[in-house]
Amino acid sequence: MPIGAMLRAVGESLAETLWPTRCVGCDQPGELLCDECRASLPWIEQRLACPVCGAPFGFLTCTECDGTWPVRATVAALGFHGAPARMVTCLKDAHELRLAPVMAAAMLTALEEASAWTAADGRPRFDARSVDGVCFVPATAAAYARRGFDHMELVARGLCAASGLPLADVLVRRPARDQRDLGREGRAENLAGTMRATEDLSGASLLLLDDVATTGSSLAEAARALRSRGAASVTACVLARVW
Ligand SMILES: [Zn+2]
Ligand SMILES: [Zn+2]
């Protein structure tokens, strides 16, 4: 199925099989994401986006990243306001797990569009043929315990099921030490070691998923963990970009 049609198909199949359902964007009963809200999603136009950090108007000059952005390219599907913001909250905190494949479809749509545009290294921002595995920024232990699931794992599984790309569930988090007795540098260091990769990733090209990118600090920590086990290339895709 063409990826562009997937959002619609997902919404329709959910509307047929599940009831009652309310739209995550406008709360109207019927569908998880109604026609109107689907049509007015704040898509980021990939042609105009920053190839590095995914900010929506940074193609020529980006004011949102400064050369230290931690991945080779970032594809952000949507702005973080309106329906996308509520999607993330509903999935994480209202346990509306049916939103995971909807978010995955939105991310795949953006990845497909981004494959037509080059990253800073001159290669396409996304090329499915060069992806060895799809990984995701893992939930903190506390969030996992509270929710009982890792929402980005669900999104990653949805994205892999829809695209045929292989899942690489390789990142784990350790709890950060209590920050209170640490100074400024100690805190940065403490957080800096919170993720690790559980497998040898020598030479691998990875697609790293997260829900929202703001400063890039979670992507940075995940990318560091992946590279420390040998990953050769990390490309990020997020549902939404805050700028
Ligand atoms: Zn709606
Ligand atoms: Zn940028």
Side-chain angles (χ1 to χ4, degrees):
M1 185 191 312
I3 287 167
M6 208 178 317
L7 270 177
R8 169 166 294 276
V10 168
E12 281 172 357
S13 66
L14 289 168
E16 283 162 19
T17 54
L18 296 157
W19 184 91
T21 296
R22 285 179 178 277
C23 172
V24 69
C26 66
D27 213 33
Q28 289 297 305
E31 293 177 88
L32 207 49
L33 186 62
C34 77
D35 279 348
E36 210 167 301
C37 289
R38 194 181 298 127
S40 60
L41 285 172
W43 292 104
I44 289 174
E45 202 174 333
Q46 299 303 322
R47 181 174 64 90
L48 303 177
C50 171
V52 179
C53 77
F57 304 108
F59 177 56
L60 287 177
T61 312
C62 184
T63 53
E64 306 300 318
C65 64
D66 62 358
T68 62
W69 197 259
V71 291
R72 66 169 281 276
T74 303
V75 177
L78 301 156
F80 189 58
H81 48 84
R86 285 193 290 276
M87 260 189 225
V88 173
T89 310
C90 265
L91 171 60
K92 279 161 72 165
D93 300 325
H95 295 206
E96 181 45 275
L97 306 189
R98 295 175 295 166
L99 283 169
V102 177
M103 286 166 54
M107 291 162 86
L108 274 175
T109 302
L111 284 168
E112 186 184 58
E113 186 184 332
S115 67
W117 303 97
T118 51
D121 61 10
R123 288 158 42 217
R125 292 179 207 170
F126 173 71
D127 178 359
R129 289 163 305 181
S130 75
V131 173
D132 297 311
V134 177
C135 49
F136 55 91
V137 172
T140 62
Y144 189 86
R146 193 167 64 242
R147 299 183 186 126
F149 63 94
D150 185 333
H151 69 287
M152 285 314 300
E153 178 184 353
L154 301 181
V155 173
R157 288 188 183 282
L159 189 143
C160 289
S163 65
L165 292 171
L167 184 72
D169 185 0
V170 296
L171 285 171
V172 294
R173 265 195 216 248
R174 67 163 175 77
R177 260 180 66 198
D178 193 321
Q179 301 268 61
R180 281 174 296 188
D181 56 343
L182 298 171
R184 187 190 173 86
E185 273 181 28
R187 290 182 186 211
E189 236 170 66
N190 185 33
L191 282 179
T194 54
M195 287 183 217
R196 70 183 172 84
T198 55
E199 287 175 34
D200 177 26
L201 299 167
S202 295
S205 293
L206 298 167
L207 180 65
L208 170 65
L209 309 184
D210 202 1
D211 49 7
V212 182
T214 305
T215 63
S217 60
S218 296
L219 295 178
E221 173 52 14
R224 182 206 56 76
L226 296 168
R227 289 198 192 96
S228 76
R229 295 300 303 272
S233 162
V234 181
T235 301
C237 179
V238 295
L239 178 75
R241 181 78 168 90
V242 175
W243 68 92

